Amino acid sequence: MSHDMEHPPLSPFPAAARLALADTQLRANLRHATHTIREKRDAAVAEVDDWQALRESGRAIKERTLRHLDSHLLELEASVTRAGGTVHWARDGDECNRIVADLVRAHGAREVVKAKSLTTEETRLNAALARHGIHALETDLAQLIIQLAGETPSHILVPAIHKNRAEVRELFLRSLPQAPADLSDDPRALAEVARLHLRERFLAAGVGISGANFAVAETGTVAVVESEGNARMCTTLPDVLITVMGIEKLIPTWEDLEVYLQLLPRSATAERMNPYTSLWTGVRPGDGPQEFHLVLIDNGRTSVLADEVGRQALRCIRCSACLNVCPVYERTGGHAYGSTYSGPIGAILTPLLVGVRNAPTLPYASSLCGACYEACPVKINIPEVLLHLRQQVVGAEGPRTREAVAMRLLAVLFGHRQLYERAQRVGRLLQAPLARRGMIRARLPGPLAGWTDARDLPALAAQSFREWWGRGR
Amino acid sequence: MEVLERLGVTVEFPATQTCCGQLHFNTGYGPEAARLARRFVETFAPSELVVSPSASCVAMVRGHYPRLAALSGDQGLIDAVAELTPRVLELTELLVDRLGTTDVGAYFPHRVTYHPSCHGLRMLELGERPLNLLRAVRGIDLVELPGASECCGFGGTFAVKNADTSVAMLTDKLRAILDSGAEVCTATDSSCLMQIGGALSRQRAGVRTMHLAEILASREQHAAGGSPSGSAGASR
Ligand code: SF4
C-alpha cells in the first residue's frame, strides 16, 4: 500500500480493550444501548418481507458503481457544476482540510456550524481549522457532547453512546452558560439546553460544513439523512455550504437512492423512515446557500478499491448495525479501536485505509462470530475481509515472529501422521504433572497464559480417539 | 460413532487425518492452511460422505477451502475441493438431512441447555436440527438458553490474543448458562465447549459441558456416559 508510512501506528487493540473492559460504567452504558437497538432493529427489519432482496440490491448497486467509479465521479462533477456548485478534489486529509480552510478564510468567517460528519472526523478537520483561528461548532447533539468533553466519537452513528444522561447533565452544567442550575437529566431538558446554545449561532453563521450520505451522479444531488434537524439548519441557513464526501458515497441514479433510503433507517435507528432527509442540487438564487462547494476526498480509498477482497468495505453506508450487534464492540466500546471507524467495519476499514502495518491488531479484534455480516444491509462479508487482512498482517510481520515459528511447527506436526501421534504421546507426558481429573489448572507459559488465567484447559485423554480406534475399540 | 453405527452407517476413520487448517487460516497463515487442506482432501477423497462433529471445521472446509484452493492457483486442488466439499457434512446435517431421522434412540435423563455455535448458526445455518435431535432424546429436560445466539468468545486464537475481551464475552455466556438452570451445556462444536467447559471447571460451577454427539450416544445402560468423537469418513 502506497501510503503506509504517512500514518502513525495505532495503539494495540488488546491493551486499549483491557482498559475499556475495566470501566464498569462504560460497560453498563454500552450493554444497555446496544441491546436496546438490537431488539428494535430486529423488529424493524422483520416488518419488510423482501428485506433480503433489498439487501441484495443494496449490495449490487454499490458493487456496480465501484467498478466504474471513475466515470461516475466525472459525471457527478459535471452535474454539480451544471447546477451551480463547485467541485474540489482532495487526495488526502491534509489537502481536504486545506481546501476547506481556504474557503472559510476567503469568506472571513471565524466560526462555522458543522453537521455530523465522519469524513471530517477522519481528516481531523476541526483541529486543522483551529490552527487557522476558525472555530467549528458541532451541532449534532451527540457530537456536541463529544466536542464539549474534548473526546472523540465512540460510535459511528451515536458518537456519545458511551455516556449516560447523568454524565451528559454534568458536562452541560460545567460547559454551557445556558444550563440552569437545576437542570434535570431528562433527555428532553438536555436537548433544550443544547438547542438554546446552538440556535443563535446557527442564525449568525456565514459558513456551514456537512458530510454526505449519498450523492447522485446523474443529477448532482447530495443527500444527508439525520434525526435531529440540525444538519438541515447547517445546510440551509448559512450563505456558503461546504460538503466533504468520500468518493465511495456516490450512487449513479436517483432511483438507486430509493433502495438506500429504505435500508439505512431500519438498519441504523430501527425507524421505517428517518425524520429528516435533506436533498439539494447545486444552488438556487434566493433559496438556501448561494455558494456550494463539494470536496471529494480519496484519503486511501483508491488503494482499498485496488484490493479485490477488501473493496467491499467501500459499500458501507455507515448505518452502524454491525457495531450494535458485535459482541466485541459491546464490551470494549469504540475508543479501543483507536480510529474514527470502530466496531466490525472499523476493524476492516481502518487497516484498509491506513495500511495493515499501521493497524496490525485490528483485524484480530473479532471472534469471527459473523453477526456483523448477518446484519449488514449491503452484505459486506466482514469476517471474510478480516481473514484476508490477517493474511496480510502475517505477511507484513515476516516469518521470524514467535507466532510464525510456532504456527509453522504446528503445520509440520499436523502434516505428518507419525509426528502428530508422537506429539500427542509427548504432550501426555508433559502434562502429567499439571493435569487433575482431565483438566489443566496451572498457569501455562507465554501466550497460553491468556487462556489459563481464566479457564482450565482440557488435558489430552489417556487414550486418543485414534488409538482407541486403532486397537479395534 | 455409536450413534452412526446404530443407524446402520459404516464408519471409517482414516488415520492419516489431522487438522483441517482452520487454526492456521483464521490466524493469517494461508499457505500452511492450504497444505493442510490438500492433505484433508487427499485423505477423504475415497469416502462417500465425510462427517465431522465440529461445525466450525465443516464451515472451514465448505466456506473457505474453495478460496484457499483458488489462491494456491493449483487447478488439481481447485477441482478436488469442488468435488469433495458438497460431501462434507456436520453431524446433525447427516442425521437429519441424509439419514432423515431425529430420534436416534438416546436416553439422557438430565437438564440440558443448547448453545448454538456461531459457525453452526450463521455459516452452516443448522437451525433447528440440533434442537430437534435433542427434543427426541428420552428423559431429557431441555431448557432454553437466554441470549443463545451470542458468541461465547472463543474465536480460535482470539481467545489468547484478546484474552480479556474473550473472557468478558465468556462471562456473560456463563451467566446465561447458570440462569438457565441446566446441569449440562451442549453444543455441536468442540471449540466452544472447550471455552465454556474450561471456565465452568475453573469456577467449580457445577455444570458440565458435553458434545451433542455424546448425548445422542447415551442409552439406558450408561445413563451419563459418552463416546469419544472425531472426524470420520462415513459410507452407508
Ligand atoms: S459495514 Fe454494513 S452494517 Fe456496518 S456500518 Fe457499514 S453498512 Fe452498516
Side-chain angles (χ1 to χ4, degrees):
Chain A
M1 230 152 265
S2 58
H3 48 268
D4 262 11
M5 290 301 126
E6 298 160 27
H7 294 270
L10 305 177
S11 65
F13 182 83
R18 182 182 203 125
L19 285 178
L21 288 166
D23 184 339
T24 52
Q25 181 70 66
L26 175 72
R27 296 281 298 274
N29 296 354
L30 280 172
R31 187 180 164 83
H32 175 73
T34 53
H35 282 248
T36 312
I37 185 69
R38 252 180 236 178
E39 274 169 35
K40 288 195 192 159
R41 190 203 74 97
D42 285 349
V45 164
E47 277 182 358
V48 186
D49 292 335
D50 58 350
W51 182 255
Q52 292 308 332
L54 208 54
R55 269 180 97 209
E56 178 52 28
S57 311
R59 182 200 67 75
I61 294 168
K62 284 271 186 178
E63 189 174 291
R64 221 182 320 118
T65 310
L66 289 169
R67 217 175 298 145
H68 307 287
L69 191 59
D70 48 350
S71 54
H72 289 305
L73 280 168
L74 292 176
E75 191 189 356
L76 177 68
E77 181 183 36
S79 312
V80 171
T81 312
R82 207 181 320 120
T86 311
V87 173
H88 308 258
W89 301 87
R91 191 168 298 117
D92 54 26
D94 288 342
E95 194 173 353
C96 167
N97 294 346
R98 213 158 36 236
I99 293 169
V100 176
D102 286 347
L103 287 169
V104 177
R105 282 199 303 178
H107 290 88
R110 313 292 318 183
E111 180 169 278
V112 296
V113 285
K114 257 189 90 199
K116 178 179 173 300
S117 145
L118 282 165
T119 313
T120 58
E121 206 55 52
E122 178 188 324
T123 69
R124 302 182 204 286
L125 176 65
N126 292 6
L129 289 178
R131 284 195 289 277
H132 292 282
I134 302 163
H135 179 241
L137 177 69
E138 295 289 352
T139 64
D140 174 85
L141 178 57
Q143 192 70 37
L144 173 68
I145 293 169
I146 292 302
Q147 187 177 39
L148 292 173
E151 296 179 7
T152 54
S154 71
H155 186 278
I156 62 173
L157 189 74
V158 195
I161 197 171
H162 57 290
K163 292 199 181 302
N164 65 15
R165 41 192 167 123
E167 292 168 294
V168 173
R169 174 181 169 271
E170 277 167 44
L171 177 69
F172 279 7
L173 278 176
R174 245 184 296 135
S175 44
L176 295 184
Q178 291 85 353
D182 64 345
L183 178 65
S184 89
D185 67 357
D186 173 35
R188 222 171 309 165
L190 295 173
E192 186 55 32
V193 173
R195 188 172 292 135
L196 289 173
H197 174 67
L198 293 173
R199 216 21 91 81
E200 45 198 78
R201 316 271 281 270
F202 269 130
L203 294 170
V207 179
I209 296 178
S210 85
N213 289 100
F214 307 98
V216 180
E218 66 172 359
T219 60
T221 308
V222 178
V224 165
V225 166
E226 49 147 352
S227 302
E228 297 174 352
N230 289 327
R232 175 162 296 174
M233 301 240 231
C234 288
T235 56
T236 52
L237 289 175
D239 231 25
V240 180
L241 172 60
I242 306 169
T243 297
V244 178
M245 178 184 119
I247 52 174
E248 82 284 18
K249 295 289 179 66
L250 169 156
I251 50 176
T253 69
W254 185 255
E255 259 185 356
D256 299 328
L257 194 57
E258 174 204 20
V259 172
Y260 297 102
L261 289 184
Q262 293 178 73
L263 286 171
L264 182 53
R266 287 184 197 262
S267 303
T269 48
E271 289 168 305
R272 294 182 177 142
M273 199 181 149
N274 55 283
Y276 292 87
T277 303
S278 300
L279 300 161
W280 67 92
T281 309
V283 293
R284 178 170 303 195
D287 180 13
Q290 296 302 295
E291 210 182 303
F292 171 54
H293 298 272
L294 180 63
V295 185
L296 294 170
I297 173 171
D298 179 345
N299 208 27
R301 286 158 176 79
T302 44
S303 44
V304 183
L305 204 54
D307 183 324
E308 210 187 298
V309 180
R311 74 170 62 128
Q312 55 185 308
L314 295 180
R315 297 205 292 259
C316 176
I317 56 173
R318 312 279 189 263
C319 73
S320 77
C322 59
L323 281 72
N324 298 332
V325 299
C326 177
V328 174
Y329 177 88
E330 177 196 331
R331 291 171 179 86
T332 65
H335 289 144
Y337 294 79
S339 86
T340 306
Y341 305 103
S342 51
I345 183 62
I348 61 172
L349 190 57
T350 301
L352 282 166
L353 286 173
V354 307
V356 287
R357 261 174 237 272
N358 299 307
T361 56
L362 283 183
Y364 292 92
S366 163
S367 66
L368 303 174
C369 82
C372 48
Y373 179 29
E374 191 178 51
C376 178
V378 288
K379 292 171 99 167
I380 300 173
N381 191 336
I382 294 177
E384 178 186 321
V385 181
L386 286 167
L387 286 175
H388 168 70
L389 292 172
R390 289 179 186 187
Q391 319 296 318
Q392 291 185 5
V393 174
V394 168
E397 297 196 330
R400 271 188 288 278
T401 62
R402 279 211 311 196
E403 181 189 283
V405 173
M407 282 292 178
R408 274 203 305 278
L409 245 158
L410 262 183
V412 171
L413 276 187
F414 290 159
H416 295 90
R417 178 187 164 187
Q418 283 85 5
L419 278 180
Y420 180 73
E421 289 171 354
R422 207 166 308 156
Q424 279 190 334
R425 286 196 292 273
V426 173
R428 225 177 282 147
L429 283 178
L430 286 178
Q431 76 181 11
L434 302 176
R436 296 272 175 286
R437 271 184 236 101
M439 284 289 187
I440 297 175
R441 202 151 272 168
R443 188 166 209 264
L444 291 178
L448 287 179
W451 180 277
T452 51
D453 277 351
R455 287 154 286 209
D456 292 348
L457 188 66
L460 297 170
Q463 172 175 284
S464 73
F465 179 83
R466 57 178 61 236
E467 288 163 344
W468 173 77
W469 180 267
R471 285 179 195 136
R473 294 174 272 167
Chain B
M1 195 68 54
E2 279 187 42
V3 180
L4 294 176
E5 290 183 341
R6 210 186 288 158
L7 295 170
V9 179
T10 314
V11 186
E12 295 153 16
F13 179 85
T16 47
Q17 66 172 297
T18 51
C19 169
C20 68
Q22 180 177 202
L23 172 76
H24 285 89
F25 187 58
N26 281 3
T27 314
Y29 295 82
E32 285 79 5
R35 278 205 297 281
L36 292 168
R38 186 184 304 272
R39 183 182 172 87
F40 182 98
V41 170
E42 283 165 7
T43 300
F44 289 106
S47 302
E48 185 187 333
L49 288 175
V50 182
V51 61
S52 161
S54 171
S56 65
C57 302
V58 177
M60 169 73 193
V61 172
R62 293 217 301 250
H64 297 307
Y65 271 21
R67 176 154 185 85
L68 263 183
L71 281 177
S72 76
D74 173 350
Q75 194 56 42
L77 185 61
I78 296 174
D79 294 342
V81 163
E83 201 272 321
L84 180 67
T85 44
R87 288 187 282 130
V88 179
L89 300 177
E90 190 275 333
L91 178 64
T92 66
E93 292 176 323
L94 175 72
L95 295 175
V96 177
D97 303 351
R98 292 300 179 104
L99 304 179
T101 181
T102 49
D103 186 351
V104 298
Y107 171 74
F108 192 72
H110 298 279
R111 177 170 289 188
V112 176
T113 195
Y114 168 69
H115 165 67
S117 76
C118 295
H119 288 128
L121 182 73
R122 300 196 183 85
M123 285 185 73
L124 301 183
E125 300 183 342
L126 295 180
E128 289 286 300
R129 291 182 188 87
L131 283 168
N132 287 338
L133 284 160
L134 284 169
R135 284 186 195 115
V137 172
R138 264 169 292 282
I140 199 167
D141 177 10
L142 192 62
V143 292
E144 201 182 320
L145 180 65
S149 64
E150 278 181 47
C151 179
C152 70
F154 178 67
T157 39
F158 176 77
V160 176
K161 280 181 185 274
N162 280 287
D164 297 293
T165 309
S166 168
V167 169
M169 289 159 69
L170 173 57
T171 304
D172 287 338
K173 181 57 75 181
L174 285 198
R175 185 187 304 138
I177 293 170
L178 296 177
D179 283 351
S180 77
E183 49 184 305
V184 174
C185 173
T186 188
T188 57
D189 213 308
S190 325
S191 41
C192 309
L193 291 175
M194 181 162 88
Q195 162 96 338
I196 295 170
L200 287 170
S201 159
R202 172 65 55 91
Q203 300 184 9
R204 324 291 199 263
V207 179
R208 69 185 190 282
T209 51
M210 280 176 83
H211 194 282
L212 183 80
E214 294 179 278
I215 294 182
L216 297 183
S218 293
R219 318 209 61 170
E220 262 94 347
Q221 305 87 287
H222 42 64
S227 69
S229 40
S231 279
S235 54
R236 284 186 87 170

